[in-house]
Every structure is written in structure tokens, then in C-alpha cells.
Amino acid sequence: MDSTPGRPDQRGTTTPHTWDPGLYCEYAGERGRPFVDLVQRIAAEDPETVLDLGCGPGNLTRLLTSRWPGAAVSGLDSSPEMIEAARAADDRIVWEVGDLRTWAGEPHRVDVVVSNATLQWVPGHLDLLGPLLDNITPTGWLAFQVPGNVDEPSHTLRQEIAEQDRYAAHLAGVAVPSSHDPATYLERLVELGCEVDAWETTYLHVLTGEDPVFTWVSGTGARPTLQALPEPLRTEFATELRERLRAAYPAGPQGVVMPFRRVFVVAHKGTGA
């Protein structure tokens, strides 16, 4: 999801940045649909404990209380801004500021762990799957969704601009998202003893408003890059990115169509992990 070190612990960046809950929720409906699609495929019947790792502002975490009304639901995120927004919206859930990787390295016993659009910010997160499973009960569930659209103009144009000499010196160590294909996650989790359901979906988001793709990426994938730049370079970068995104995603009769591929994984430990 999306003044502090931002989400460096979960996302692995070395350059400070912050996350804006309001901007992140600008397209809450479109961002939330993959979460709903993911949770629907988790066949846990009556879990006692459910955790949302990388819960962001908590608007989606709250859906877990309806999905499993008898469960104790909690949310963890390394962004204080996100957790502050979550606490203000719902006090039924235990919200905590914390490092996803630190959590995975500590002893926990959770029945269902959900992680939505978070692991793509953790370098080498395939190696994190084993520790995450270690903190899930013997017949528990790990379910996550990551964007799989790094080859789309919404990412490649940002990278092309960032490689220009006037920007590159400021952008070393800036977080960029990365993920794997469904088959890669499936293979790793099967090796770890899980029954795995892995798939991908490409959503065709129809966006409205002025420069909607720029608004979308400035709240997520491009935000660390933009925040790392000093003025006036930040404004110059944003202007160029805005113009190039406008050309790559032209407006049509209904709005701007932005294809968005996402990768989903639901792993059940069963009795073998």
C-alpha cells in the first residue's frame, strides 16, 4: 500500500519517503477489488486469528471482520501515517506499526495471513515465504496479491525518466516494486509443503479525472521516486512523467483505460508444512 522512513522495512528502500493515505485511497474501489478477489479464494472456515500484513489505511482490513466475524483481526504496517488513519477509522481491529520482515522472524501463531500489494516492495521476498509460513498454524493459510505490471508504461516510463543524468544521482537506493509470475510462487510454496492456488488477472480500470494514471502512480509506485527528488527537479520530473503517461494512456469516450495485471497466491499449509 501504500517523514518517517516510509515503508523501508517492508519495502526494502534505503531512501526515506512517506505514504499518503488520502492519495492512496484516491482510487479505493479499483485498488480494493483484487483484495476482495483474493480473500474470496481463502477457504478457512472459522479462524481464530487473522492478520493483514501491509494493511495500509485499513479500509480493506475491515472487510476481514465481515469475512470471519468470529476472528480476532489485526493489521500491521510500517507507515505510521497509514496506521494512524486505520486507527481513526476502526478501533475494533488491533493496529500496529511494525516491520514485516521483523514480524516474520519472531514467533507467532496466526491462522490466516493476508498480504495485499505489499510483498512487491520487499527485495528477495521469495525467501520470506518460509518464515511467514513458520508463523502460521499447522493448517493455516497464507494469501497474497502483488502487482505484475512492471513492464507496463506506468512503470517503464518512470524508470526511463529516472535514468536521465539530472535525476539519477538523487535516485540511488529508491524503492521500486518487483514481483514474480504465479508459477514461481507456486513452485516455491509447493516446495515448502503447501497446497497452492496461484493465478493472474488483468483488470481494465477505467479512470476519470485529470491525468488519472499519474495520480494513481504518484500514490504508489512513483511516490518514492518523486519524494527523493529536490525541487525544482521533482516538479520537472512530475511534469515529464505526466505528459508521457497522458500519451501512453489516451482518454477515450468513457475515460482512460489502464490495464493492470495482478498475481494472486493462496497457500494452505495443510499437514505437510
Side-chain angles (χ1 to χ4, degrees), residues 170-188:
H170 300 278
L171 299 178
V174 167
V176 293
S178 179
S179 61
H180 302 277
D181 290 334
T184 301
Y185 293 116
L186 184 148
E187 180 179 359
R188 177 59 59 89

Side-chain angles (χ1 to χ4, degrees), residues 9-107:
D9 301 322
Q10 291 173 195
R11 270 70 172 166
T13 179
T14 59
T15 301
H17 64 276
T18 62
W19 297 94
D20 183 336
L23 183 58
Y24 181 82
C25 290
E26 186 75 19
Y27 295 104
E30 290 83 358
R31 295 192 197 278
R33 184 176 170 188
F35 183 91
V36 174
D37 291 347
L38 176 69
V39 171
Q40 286 179 341
R41 300 278 280 269
I42 305 172
E45 295 183 358
D46 191 24
E48 294 182 2
T49 52
V50 177
L51 172 65
D52 185 359
L53 281 180
C55 63
N59 56 310
L60 298 175
T61 313
R62 296 196 295 273
L63 299 178
L64 300 177
T65 63
S66 299
R67 176 69 171 83
W68 294 292
V73 177
S74 57
L76 180 79
D77 199 283
S78 65
S79 166
E81 294 86 358
M82 291 292 198
I83 292 297
E84 180 180 0
R87 286 174 177 160
D90 196 320
D91 60 4
R92 300 171 301 164
I93 296 170
V94 176
W95 306 103
E96 183 179 355
V97 177
D99 176 346
L100 184 155
R101 290 177 294 186
T102 297
W103 184 91
E106 299 171 346

Side-chain angles (χ1 to χ4, degrees), residues 27 30 204-209 212 249-258:
Y27 295 104
E30 290 83 358
L204 296 180
H205 296 310
V206 180
L207 308 179
T208 58
Y249 299 92
Q254 293 183 320
V256 174
V257 177
M258 183 181 72

Side-chain angles (χ1 to χ4, degrees), residues 3-263:
S3 53
T4 64
R7 305 183 93 182
D9 301 322
Q10 291 173 195
R11 270 70 172 166
T13 179
T14 59
T15 301
H17 64 276
T18 62
W19 297 94
D20 183 336
L23 183 58
Y24 181 82
C25 290
E26 186 75 19
Y27 295 104
E30 290 83 358
R31 295 192 197 278
R33 184 176 170 188
F35 183 91
V36 174
D37 291 347
L38 176 69
V39 171
Q40 286 179 341
R41 300 278 280 269
I42 305 172
E45 295 183 358
D46 191 24
E48 294 182 2
T49 52
V50 177
L51 172 65
D52 185 359
L53 281 180
C55 63
N59 56 310
L60 298 175
T61 313
R62 296 196 295 273
L63 299 178
L64 300 177
T65 63
S66 299
R67 176 69 171 83
W68 294 292
V73 177
S74 57
L76 180 79
D77 199 283
S78 65
S79 166
E81 294 86 358
M82 291 292 198
I83 292 297
E84 180 180 0
R87 286 174 177 160
D90 196 320
D91 60 4
R92 300 171 301 164
I93 296 170
V94 176
W95 306 103
E96 183 179 355
V97 177
D99 176 346
L100 184 155
R101 290 177 294 186
T102 297
W103 184 91
E106 299 171 346
H108 301 278
R109 301 297 285 175
V110 182
D111 295 317
V112 177
V113 171
V114 179
S115 185
N116 184 64
T118 295
L119 292 178
Q120 76 275 8
W121 292 104
V122 181
H125 61 259
L126 278 179
D127 295 331
L128 189 64
L129 298 181
L132 288 175
L133 288 171
D134 289 342
N135 287 291
I136 297 173
T137 52
T139 57
W141 300 77
L142 170 64
F144 60 90
Q145 176 271 128
V146 290
N149 64 335
V150 294
D151 294 328
E152 291 294 324
S154 55
H155 287 275
T156 59
L157 292 177
R158 178 202 55 77
Q159 182 62 34
E160 289 174 9
I161 299 171
E163 290 173 354
Q164 297 177 23
D165 289 344
R166 56 181 174 155
Y167 301 124
H170 300 278
L171 299 178
V174 167
V176 293
S178 179
S179 61
H180 302 277
D181 290 334
T184 301
Y185 293 116
L186 184 148
E187 180 179 359
R188 177 59 59 89
L189 287 162
V190 167
E191 291 174 351
L192 292 169
C194 295
E195 297 178 358
V196 183
D197 181 12
W199 72 99
E200 64 180 73
T201 298
T202 298
Y203 298 90
L204 296 180
H205 296 310
V206 180
L207 308 179
T208 58
E210 184 177 358
D211 295 320
V213 179
F214 175 82
T215 300
W216 182 295
V217 301
S218 63
T220 50
R223 185 170 177 83
T225 298
L226 292 168
Q227 288 204 321
L229 292 169
E231 291 292 359
L233 288 180
R234 181 184 301 174
T235 297
E236 294 172 5
F237 189 103
T239 298
E240 183 173 356
L241 180 59
R242 191 189 305 268
E243 292 174 350
R244 295 181 68 174
L245 287 172
R246 192 182 302 141
Y249 299 92
Q254 293 183 320
V256 174
V257 177
M258 183 181 72
F260 201 126
R261 175 179 177 258
R262 293 186 182 268
V263 174

